[in-house]
Amino acid sequence: MKLTVIIPVFRVEDTLDRCVESVLSQNVDTMEVILVDDGSPDNCPKMCDNWAGKDPRIRVIHKPNSGLSDARNAGLDQATGDLVTFVDSDDYLAPYTYEPLMAQAEACDILEFSVDDRLQLPERCFDDVKQYWIETRAYEHTFAWNKLYRRTLFDDVRYPVGKIFEDVYTLPLLLQKAQRVVTTARGLYHYTYNSQGITATADGKGLAMLLDAHLQSQMPVDDLYYMYLVNIQMDVWERTGAPILLPVRKVRTDSLPVKKKLKAIILNTIGIKKLCILNKLLHKVKKPNRW
């Protein structure tokens, strides 16, 4: 099987070489690497062309800047692999990550692998994507870049341009088309936290997009997932004061962790609007801290 690796590139002079080197050293001959220069104003366009001149597996797309989603979509439009994956250009892969995953990916539609100490996954096979979503709490790790996808899943799916948290919008659409999802402890994606990145600096409008993405997902919502959405709704209301969109639900508290159980009891007692008000008041009297 052939693997397409799509790497969006924008203002990453300091990390681009490390990223590309980690991909090219994966010991996968049947691989194409698509570097998508998203109108980067620095030396990145030249660096991309230099890499293409060194390795025939690399192709470069130069395009006007229009954001991460559109850069990924441009790569998808040119992808020819049976499988496709993404790497953010400030991140990198552990050696020999892709090679053992390729065989596993032949037997599924989506293969998800581990991310540093941020996400350690078990060896599991899910023929029910809803079970995968709930049991692995996939809604907390919808990342595009720690997964290998059967390319045909993207035949009529693209990342939403102009949105942040675009992965949360897109993964449920792919899952609706998938028959089997596999998680594995093999391989390792090295994620580099960027305090100035889009996700880290999301404002109320951005968090509203995150909530909207989850509410559009049409994936099952258990009590733990619902409490995860409650946290997002509280943050959105605190920052924007916009009408509450999270549907009202009575939460069963017996299976929740202690900290979430207390919040769920309060939620069941006073309702989501008053919980949002209480949360905002607490933040006024102490340093913000997720409770």
Side-chain angles (χ1 to χ4, degrees):
M1 298 186 80
K2 181 179 179 181
L3 174 65
T4 297
V5 183
I6 298 171
I7 307 176
V9 176
F10 185 75
R11 289 184 173 172
V12 284
E13 285 182 332
D14 294 339
T15 59
L16 180 59
D17 285 343
R18 179 185 66 181
C19 174
V20 176
E21 286 172 358
S22 76
V23 172
L24 295 178
S25 64
Q26 287 299 306
N27 201 32
V28 177
D29 293 327
T30 55
M31 177 175 71
E32 66 175 356
V33 179
I34 302 178
L35 299 177
V36 184
D37 162 35
D38 188 34
S40 190
D42 53 11
N43 199 41
C44 284
K46 182 179 179 181
M47 293 172 69
C48 289
D49 290 336
N50 288 342
W51 274 111
K54 296 179 194 176
D55 195 304
R57 293 175 293 176
I58 295 179
R59 286 191 285 143
V60 179
I61 298 172
H62 295 290
K63 59 183 290 297
N65 176 252
S66 51
L68 178 59
S69 286
D70 198 51
R72 286 179 179 163
N73 293 341
L76 286 168
D77 290 342
Q78 298 295 320
T80 62
D82 305 287
L83 302 170
V84 63
T85 191
F86 304 90
V87 180
D88 282 358
S89 46
D90 48 1
D91 301 336
Y92 61 102
L93 295 160
Y96 305 107
T97 286
Y98 286 154
E99 184 181 23
L101 299 183
M102 294 286 286
Q104 283 184 286
E106 289 187 25
C108 65
D109 297 298
I110 299 175
L111 174 70
E112 183 175 24
F113 58 100
S114 297
V115 184
D116 292 329
D117 55 0
R118 185 180 189 182
L119 177 65
Q120 299 299 313
L121 291 164
E123 296 289 337
R124 289 285 303 275
C125 178
F126 296 91
D127 290 319
D128 182 344
V129 297
K130 294 180 179 179
Q131 182 185 19
Y132 157 76
W133 183 258
I134 293 297
E135 290 192 10
T136 71
R137 296 166 67 173
Y139 49 84
E140 293 185 352
H141 44 94
T142 59
F143 323 124
W145 28 255
N146 71 322
K147 300 172 181 70
L148 272 60
Y149 312 84
R150 196 168 295 277
R151 182 175 56 83
T152 52
L153 293 178
F154 285 98
D155 281 351
D156 56 358
V157 174
R158 288 295 185 268
Y159 288 92
V161 177
K163 302 283 190 182
I164 62 174
F165 300 105
E166 67 289 330
D167 301 342
V168 187
Y169 282 97
T170 307
L171 181 60
L173 298 177
L174 300 173
L175 288 173
Q176 288 167 20
K177 300 175 66 177
Q179 298 294 316
R180 174 175 292 174
V181 179
V182 169
T183 63
T184 180
R186 299 182 183 183
L188 190 64
Y189 187 98
H190 289 291
Y191 170 78
T192 303
Y193 177 76
N194 181 0
S195 62
Q196 300 304 311
I198 295 173
T199 301
T201 59
D203 57 10
K205 182 179 178 181
L207 291 173
M209 289 185 192
L210 174 61
L211 180 61
D212 176 66
H214 282 289
L215 295 180
Q216 286 190 30
S217 73
Q218 299 183 24
M219 299 303 286
V221 179
D222 68 354
D223 294 310
L224 191 59
Y225 183 18
Y226 185 79
M227 294 308 298
Y228 176 81
L229 297 178
V230 166
N231 283 342
I232 301 172
Q233 177 64 84
M234 289 194 303
D235 287 341
V236 171
W237 189 86
E238 181 176 0
R239 288 165 173 77
T240 70
I244 290 173
L245 299 179
L246 184 65
V248 175
R249 169 175 175 160
K250 206 74 172 179
V251 178
R252 295 173 303 172
T253 62
D254 53 306
S255 61
L256 295 176
V258 173
K259 197 172 183 180
K260 288 183 173 61
K261 183 177 294 187
L262 174 61
K263 184 185 293 185
I265 292 171
I266 298 173
L267 172 66
N268 288 339
T269 304
I270 67 176
I272 182 66
K273 178 62 178 290
K274 289 183 178 178
L275 182 64
C276 287
I277 295 172
L278 176 61
N279 179 68
K280 187 173 183 178
L281 289 174
L282 288 173
H283 283 182
K284 283 184 177 180
V285 299
K286 68 177 183 177
K287 184 178 179 180
N289 182 32
R290 171 60 57 223
W291 63 292

